[in-house]
Amino acid sequence: QVQLVESGGGLVQAGGSLRLSCAASGLTFSSYAMGWFRQAPGKEREFVAAVSRSSSTKVYADSVKGRFTISRDNAESTVYLQMNSLKAEDTAVYYCAAREAYYSDYVTRSLYDYWGQGTQVTVSS
């Protein structure tokens, strides 16, 4: 079955960096667009970043533009999220997601087929 396993979360001071990874199995990774979402306590899960199958398209939420970078390695079936200049408001559980169908909309979470279990990111101020 399809599995998405996130790693790399942790506790970091404001201004610091973290790199999240999401390893995929049970699917043809290069056929799936990949996204990162996050959910803070008491809030809805929100879009963070997404990358198309070939990495030709990358989309970011305004709140992370210029600070976060999404990338993927199709040979390793892994998607990454490099997070720099972290702020307290970036504290959340971060989830990766995969979808096979093509849509120009990368933001809507209901368009994604598979989800990981999440990894906690805590930024202390």
Side-chain angles (χ1 to χ4, degrees):
Q1 74 273 22
V2 175
Q3 281 194 309
L4 302 176
V5 180
E6 301 96 336
S7 61
L11 174 64
V12 64
Q13 287 189 331
S17 298
L18 282 175
R19 188 195 197 202
L20 305 184
S21 300
C22 171
S25 60
L27 51 74
T28 303
F29 185 74
S30 59
S31 297
Y32 284 75
M34 300 298 296
W36 285 98
F37 290 74
R38 67 187 181 186
Q39 188 166 17
K43 293 190 175 182
E44 294 282 317
R45 191 172 298 188
E46 65 175 4
F47 171 77
V48 175
V51 59
S52 63
R53 301 169 189 179
S54 65
S55 301
S56 59
T57 299
K58 296 181 181 182
V59 181
Y60 297 93
D62 287 344
S63 59
V64 307
K65 274 182 187 173
R67 300 188 298 123
F68 289 12
T69 302
I70 190 170
S71 62
R72 65 187 294 161
D73 184 336
N74 285 348
E76 296 294 328
S77 298
T78 301
V79 61
Y80 303 97
L81 186 68
Q82 177 66 45
M83 306 187 295
N84 299 328
S85 303
L86 282 161
K87 305 175 182 179
E89 50 263 44
D90 295 318
T91 295
V93 177
Y94 283 70
Y95 299 89
C96 72
R99 71 159 193 238
E100 187 173 22
Y102 171 78
Y103 301 103
S104 57
D105 174 3
Y106 286 89
V107 174
T108 303
R109 63 179 188 260
S110 63
L111 296 179
Y112 288 81
D113 305 313
Y114 303 106
W115 293 84
Q117 292 299 306
T119 185
Q120 175 71 46
V121 171
T122 303
V123 184
S124 63
S125 56

